[in-house]
Amino acid sequence: MAPPAKDKGFWALNWLRFLLAMYLVLFHTLRFNYAPVADNWLAASLGLGNMATSVFFVLSGFLLTHAYVVKKNGRDINKRNFLIARFSTLYPLHLACLVLAIVAVGGKLFAYGGIPVYVDNSATATRFLEQWEVGVALLMSITLTNAWNPLYLVFNGPSWSLSALGFYYLLFPAVALRIYRMKSLKTALVVLAVLFLLPGLFADLMHRSDALTTGVLHRNPIVRLPLFIAGIVLCVMFTRKTPGSSPAQTFMLGSLVVATTVLATVLRYHDSRLHIIENGLYLPASVAIIWLCADMKPTLHDKVRYWGDRLGAVSLPVFLLHLPLFSVFRKIEQVILVWPSSNGSLSTALATASHVKQSLFFYPVYLILLVTACVLVQEHFVTRVQKAIRNRFSDRSDAKAQAATATREPTTGTY
């Protein structure tokens, strides 16, 4: 059995969460909506959203294991309290964002007469969803099962990762304790890497690059499960290791991350799709990133730790809110740009605004407003709702353990 974790606060992991969340904001908004960023190396470097999501899944498994298994020396997990704690973090904010997404989908229905979705990976062909398909998509979003739909995402697309994470939460209490007691952790990590690679390798050998195949490989919770379990294994390995990594180990891990990032960027720039990169190399690269960050020496700067804790906690609101808020910001920006030529008529400005291209000049304003809004949402909505749900539904017989966990547990939401 592993000894207690050397708790160094994992300050770098908090900053990693925030920076990855902001990268995904750029992935979803900057490269798709601004001409200067389209079809160049910058766009290619911003096209690795799947890698960022992979790192988040590994990180979630790592932090959950540290908080619920390692710090408790492998004692049994109170499943009820665990699930209440985790879903009280995810689900209320997910429902709030779903309401915003329904409004956005209603706008599409009004503008286009239906919900258009792409039917290929090149985004050149579209079709309109049938009414029953929209209804199924809404039901799957409400029940947090939308990751199991490989064909299309209708309501706040990024929430698919929460759907996958919810599935992993159900598995965690049983899987994590078994892994904690394992001896051959390195072997387990290799097996997970192979399991993660096989679906992508099979798709490449079959020359499959259709939307269905891509949807299954990129979003299906079973296909992505090795990432989350790898995070569990990695945390236990980190707990058992001697403090500090050798310079050679650090160099090798850093080289793996750099090589994977460069290779994926080059392939993205040349529009070359190899599934074995995203469903293969991303797992060892994600493991390397988490290990390097977790192994960093404790920071002596209180402000670095303070802001890391605070900004790391908003990674979930940032990920869920960035697209709905960007839609609002885009419309306001377009109205501002056409206002001088609208003769003071709001109806004229609204009618012509959709034809105006956005300006990079305003994009930093959007980022500042997004982070500010998400800090307020996290600290004045998510935290309060989570506390109320825990107090109402948690197992009182485990109250002391629950209170202790709540005071020291890192925020383990994926985003």
Side-chain angles (χ1 to χ4, degrees), residues 90-103 156 320-321 324 377 381-382 385:
L90 294 185
Y91 199 64
L93 185 58
H94 167 66
L95 287 182
C97 293
L98 180 58
V99 172
L100 296 177
I102 291 174
V103 174
N156 199 16
L320 282 179
L321 287 170
V377 168
F381 172 73
V382 176
V385 171

Side-chain angles (χ1 to χ4, degrees), residues 246-387:
S246 68
Q249 289 174 323
T250 301
F251 176 79
M252 290 177 60
L253 293 174
S255 298
L256 173 61
V257 174
V258 172
T260 302
T261 304
V262 170
L263 178 59
T265 301
V266 171
L267 291 175
R268 176 69 62 176
Y269 179 77
H270 292 289
D271 198 26
S272 177
R273 297 182 179 274
L274 280 177
H275 295 300
I276 57 172
I277 303 298
E278 296 182 346
N279 288 77
L281 289 182
Y282 281 1
L283 187 147
S286 300
V287 166
I289 291 172
I290 302 303
W291 186 278
L292 289 171
C293 289
D295 200 43
M296 285 188 178
K297 295 180 179 179
T299 177
L300 299 178
H301 301 284
D302 291 338
K303 288 187 177 180
V304 172
R305 180 183 295 275
Y306 169 78
W307 283 107
D309 292 345
R310 197 174 181 188
L311 293 177
V314 306
S315 56
L316 175 63
V318 165
F319 189 71
L320 282 179
L321 287 170
H322 73 274
L323 281 183
L325 292 183
F326 184 76
S327 298
V328 176
F329 179 84
R330 174 170 52 193
K331 181 59 66 177
I332 294 174
E333 177 189 349
Q334 290 171 327
V335 169
I336 291 174
L337 291 174
V338 302
W339 186 258
S341 60
S342 66
N343 297 320
S345 172
L346 180 60
S347 59
T348 301
L350 290 173
T352 58
S354 59
H355 304 291
V356 176
K357 294 183 178 180
Q358 291 180 263
S359 170
L360 276 173
F361 178 80
F362 290 100
Y363 192 73
V365 177
Y366 160 70
L367 294 179
I368 294 172
L369 292 175
L370 172 67
V371 174
T372 302
C374 288
V375 169
L376 295 174
V377 168
Q378 174 65 30
E379 296 178 356
H380 297 282
F381 172 73
V382 176
T383 303
R384 293 181 181 181
V385 171
Q386 182 187 58
K387 183 178 179 180

Side-chain angles (χ1 to χ4, degrees), residues 57 60 64 82-98 141-142 144 156 158-170 228 313 315-317 319-320 378 381-383 385-386 389-390 411-415:
F57 281 136
S60 292
L64 283 172
F82 170 78
L83 293 176
I84 289 173
R86 301 321 325 146
F87 281 100
S88 65
T89 301
L90 294 185
Y91 199 64
L93 185 58
H94 167 66
L95 287 182
C97 293
L98 180 58
S141 292
I142 293 174
L144 212 59
N156 199 16
S159 66
W160 73 264
S161 59
L162 271 69
S163 172
L165 197 62
F167 174 68
Y168 302 153
Y169 286 166
L170 298 176
F228 181 78
S315 56
L316 175 63
F319 189 71
L320 282 179
Q378 174 65 30
F381 172 73
V382 176
T383 303
V385 171
Q386 182 187 58
I389 293 176
R390 289 186 181 189
T411 303
T412 50
T414 315
Y415 304 107

Side-chain angles (χ1 to χ4, degrees), residues 37-83:
V37 187
D39 300 324
N40 54 31
W41 282 104
L42 178 57
S45 67
L46 294 175
L48 310 183
N50 192 273
M51 182 175 182
T53 307
S54 298
V55 176
F56 269 124
F57 281 136
V58 177
L59 179 57
S60 292
F62 185 99
L63 291 178
L64 283 172
T65 304
H66 178 71
Y68 286 96
V69 179
V70 172
K71 281 194 170 185
K72 297 180 180 181
N73 293 321
R75 294 193 299 271
D76 287 342
I77 300 172
N78 186 311
K79 297 180 179 61
R80 173 178 171 177
N81 285 357
F82 170 78
L83 293 176

